[in-house]
Amino acid sequence: MCEIPGSEDSSKIGYIKLTTFNQNAAGSVKEAIKKLRENNVKAFVLDLRNNSGGLFPEGIEIAKIWMDKGVIVYICDSRGVRDIYEADGASTVAASEPLVVLVNKGTASASEILAGALKDNKRAVVYGEPTYGKGKIQSVFALSDGSGLAVTVARYETPARTDIDKVGVTPDRPLPASFPTDEDGFCSCLRDPASCNLNAARLFVR
């Protein structure tokens, strides 16, 4: 929790750093939101920097935590859209509080899907640098000599129909390369905007 004097949205900002999408990721995010709310937090920062992904279903479930409606991701193949994942409000926990998402070139795969969904649905303001660009869905076929052949069978597209592969998610606003990667450094930066070129008072303004 960062206590920031002078913020327009809230003097208390909840900081959640998600490092991987394992089988407990969605539950951990829900628990973090609950604990931060108990401390009167009214706005959140979700840090996905250097999150290389993990379980696709967990990325979808975490998007549903922050969104009450809207497309999360399109699964496309050579014929077009094959599947659509959407939020329907059933799993929503925090769809109204101001939200910022932090990304960098280490943000990949499932974390790119999450960042793209929150950005394109205008649920969050995304800060950082373009993400890694890992948007292929591949299947591995065994060959007779014991080796394997990886074949791309589909791709991920964001709600705005941006092909994630090799392009990534472009943030709304940049962050300086030296921007702190830990919660203490992040809070210190917001308390002293001149030191990191980021103003807490306008943090959640698109």
Side-chain angles (χ1 to χ4, degrees):
M1 183 180 69
C2 304
E3 295 194 49
I4 313 298
S7 173
E8 293 177 2
D9 294 283
S10 175
S11 61
K12 293 183 178 180
I13 298 173
Y15 175 94
I16 301 172
K17 187 174 181 67
L18 189 61
T19 56
T20 187
F21 289 84
N22 58 28
Q23 62 184 0
N24 301 315
S28 296
V29 171
K30 287 180 181 179
E31 184 63 25
I33 292 171
K34 178 183 177 182
K35 288 182 177 180
L36 289 166
R37 278 177 168 167
E38 290 173 354
N39 286 288
N40 297 317
V41 162
K42 302 294 184 183
F44 295 94
V45 172
L46 179 62
D47 193 346
L48 298 177
R49 290 175 296 171
N50 298 317
N51 182 324
S52 60
L55 300 176
F56 171 80
E58 289 295 305
I60 298 300
E61 288 305 308
I62 293 171
K64 291 179 178 179
I65 290 173
W66 300 102
M67 295 168 52
D68 57 3
K69 61 180 180 179
V71 172
I72 297 171
V73 68
Y74 293 102
I75 307 297
C76 304
D77 58 19
S78 59
R79 298 180 180 179
V81 177
R82 193 176 78 183
D83 204 356
I84 304 174
Y85 288 83
E86 298 181 83
D88 59 8
S91 302
T92 303
V93 175
S96 59
E97 290 98 337
L99 176 64
V100 157
V101 175
L102 306 180
V103 299
N104 65 3
K105 61 184 177 181
T107 303
S109 194
S111 56
E112 291 180 280
I113 292 171
L114 175 56
L118 296 174
K119 178 192 175 187
D120 287 357
N121 283 282
K122 298 189 183 336
R123 175 62 191 91
V125 183
V126 179
Y127 284 79
E129 59 185 345
T131 61
Y132 182 84
K134 186 178 180 182
K136 290 180 180 177
I137 303 171
Q138 295 183 317
S139 293
V140 178
F141 297 91
L143 302 179
S144 58
D145 62 357
S147 62
L149 177 66
V151 177
T152 299
V153 296
R155 65 185 184 276
Y156 297 124
E157 290 188 4
T158 71
R161 302 305 303 271
T162 300
D163 187 347
I164 292 174
D165 195 57
K166 296 181 181 178
V167 177
V169 175
T170 302
D172 297 304
R173 296 184 179 181
L175 282 178
S178 59
F179 192 81
T181 58
D182 63 287
E183 61 271 27
D184 290 336
F186 174 78
C187 292
S188 297
C189 176
L190 294 187
R191 294 190 191 100
D192 183 14
S195 69
C196 61
N197 196 29
L198 186 67
N199 192 334
R202 294 187 57 79
L203 182 64
F204 299 95
V205 178
R206 188 171 300 280

